[in-house]
């Protein structure tokens, strides 16, 4: 959406070096394709360094090429890469299994990997998991990643879910998770409506990992409160994320920017 908005307005920069690549929370290794596949994809194994028995397999695009028309007409940011906030969300979920155990969990705006939802399925003993994205290509690849991990997970489903559309066809959830989905304020209303409709009343909870990005987070929080949500913002929620945050903050050559890159819960 950021790329699409910038293109439509005609002010997209030619180059950028402000993307924080990773918080180095997982061991990631390239593996042999488990089945015949096109050369467009690479297969990865993501595992927790502290517990290598907890791992997921991913099918991701090798060289992402998105046309200008695709950027202008659909949200393709989730097809570009596995974004740092998605890795942070996956790590948070894997390290806090009690928050998801025996719960119906949904990841929204999961991108093409569905990394966080898959780690919930592998590490947290949920009742069920739905992993979703609004982009059809991303949703299709989520389905492929679920198949890759089907020997390690149960009752996990992928789907295309566009915020505030056809919600009456979807079951309610005890927990919804999402990463870095607050940056465009024109979609806050749709996101809030989706959370309000899909969460079980009285005890449903959403865990959102995102940087502040100017006033986008604070404006979302205020609007969510107006719609009856109780909000808590936590800075230090994961000791490994906090350790990396301090290391990146103190590095003189780092492009790390608190507002753009530090993911809050």
């Amino acid at each position: 959406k950021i790329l699409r908005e910038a293109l439509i307005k005609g002010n997209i920069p030619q180059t950028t070096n402000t993307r924080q690549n990773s918080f180095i929370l997982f061991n990631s290794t390239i593996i042999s394709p488990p089945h015949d596949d096109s050369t467009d994809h690479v297969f990865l194994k993501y595992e927790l360094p502290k517990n290598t028995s907890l791992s997921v397999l991913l099918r991701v695009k090798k060289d992402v090429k998105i046309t200008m028309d695709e950027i202008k007409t659909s949200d393709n940011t989730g097809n570009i890469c596995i974004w740092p906030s998605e890795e942070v969300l996956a790590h948070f979920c894997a390290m806090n299994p009690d928050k998801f155990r025996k719960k119906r969990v949904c990841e929204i705006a999961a991108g093409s990997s569905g990394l966080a939802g898959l780690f919930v399925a592998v590490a947290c003993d949920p009742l069920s998991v739905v992993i979703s994205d609004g982009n059809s290509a991303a949703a299709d690849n989520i389905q492929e990643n679920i198949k890759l991990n089907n020997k390690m997970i149960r009752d996990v489903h992928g789907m295309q879910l566009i915020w505030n559309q056809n919600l009456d066809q979807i079951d309610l959830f005890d927990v919804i998770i999402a990463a870095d989905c607050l940056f465009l304020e024109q979609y806050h209303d749709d996101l809030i409506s989706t959370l309000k409709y899909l969460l079980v009343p009285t005890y449903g909870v959403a865990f959102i990992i995102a940087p502040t990005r100017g006033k986008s987070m604070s404006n979302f929080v205020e609007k969510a409160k107006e719609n009856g949500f109780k909000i808590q913002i936590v800075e230090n929620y994961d000791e490994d994320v906090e350790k990396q945050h301090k290391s990146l903050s103190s590095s003189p050559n780092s492009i790390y920017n608190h507002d753009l890159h530090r993911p809050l819960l």
Side-chain angles (χ1 to χ4, degrees):
K1 290 177 181 176
I2 286 177
L3 293 173
R4 183 170 75 250
E5 294 291 325
L7 270 173
I8 291 171
K9 293 176 182 177
N11 60 359
I12 189 168
Q14 294 301 307
T15 61
T16 178
N17 65 348
T18 58
R19 183 186 159 228
Q20 176 63 32
N21 288 325
S22 175
F23 282 83
I24 317 175
L25 300 169
F26 295 94
N27 296 329
S28 175
T29 56
I30 297 176
I31 62 173
S32 300
H35 52 72
D36 291 337
D37 196 89
S38 71
T39 56
D40 293 337
H41 295 89
V42 63
F43 291 82
L44 302 175
K45 182 179 182 180
Y46 265 69
E47 62 183 15
L48 283 171
K50 292 182 178 179
N51 186 350
T52 56
S53 66
L54 295 179
S55 64
V56 302
L57 306 180
L58 298 178
R59 172 184 184 262
V60 298
K61 276 280 191 180
K62 185 182 296 182
D63 296 306
V64 177
K65 296 177 181 178
I66 296 174
T67 67
M68 295 296 186
D69 286 340
E70 286 177 319
I71 294 172
K72 288 181 179 180
T73 58
S74 63
D75 178 8
N76 266 300
T77 54
N79 288 320
I80 294 174
C81 64
I82 300 173
W83 294 95
S85 288
E86 176 74 6
E87 292 184 340
V88 171
L89 177 62
H91 191 267
F92 168 78
C93 294
M95 301 304 291
N96 293 274
D98 288 346
K99 298 183 184 300
F100 307 97
R101 185 170 288 115
K102 304 305 179 186
K103 303 287 181 64
R104 296 163 295 178
V105 182
C106 177
E107 181 179 8
I108 61 173
S112 63
S113 72
L115 181 66
L118 288 170
F119 262 102
V120 169
V122 167
C124 302
D125 190 27
L127 190 64
S128 63
V129 178
V130 171
I131 307 174
S132 70
D133 193 85
N135 180 276
S136 59
D140 288 343
N141 200 70
I142 287 170
Q143 296 279 19
E144 294 299 320
N145 283 336
I146 291 172
K147 292 177 184 176
L148 278 178
N149 294 276
N150 62 5
K151 292 182 179 179
M152 301 179 288
I153 58 180
R154 57 180 175 77
D155 206 359
V156 180
H157 307 280
M159 66 175 295
Q160 183 181 15
L161 191 162
I162 300 173
W163 295 349
N164 208 22
Q165 293 188 26
N166 302 317
L167 300 181
D168 57 341
Q169 301 175 21
I170 305 172
D171 292 334
L172 299 185
F173 300 98
D174 305 302
V175 182
I176 292 177
I177 59 175
D180 207 354
C181 60
L182 307 180
F183 45 84
L184 288 180
E185 296 184 31
Q186 60 265 45
Y187 300 104
H188 283 180
D189 287 334
D190 287 339
L191 174 56
I192 289 169
S193 294
T194 300
L195 295 174
K196 197 168 186 177
Y197 196 98
L198 293 182
L199 282 171
V200 174
T202 69
Y203 65 83
V205 61
F207 294 107
I208 299 176
I209 298 278
T212 53
R213 296 191 187 275
K215 293 185 177 180
S216 65
M217 176 180 284
S218 60
N219 289 341
F220 172 82
V221 167
E222 289 306 312
K223 186 166 287 188
K225 287 180 178 178
E226 292 171 2
N227 281 268
F229 283 93
K230 296 179 180 179
I231 307 292
Q232 181 182 9
I233 298 177
V234 185
E235 293 186 355
N236 187 354
Y237 51 87
D238 185 307
E239 63 179 15
D240 295 311
V241 174
E242 189 66 12
K243 181 179 178 180
Q244 289 296 321
H245 162 67
K246 291 178 179 178
S247 175
L248 290 165
S249 298
S250 61
S251 174
N253 298 319
S254 175
I255 63 168
Y256 187 72
N257 179 295
H258 288 206
D259 179 58
L260 296 176
H261 302 133
R262 185 185 188 184
L264 305 182
L265 173 66

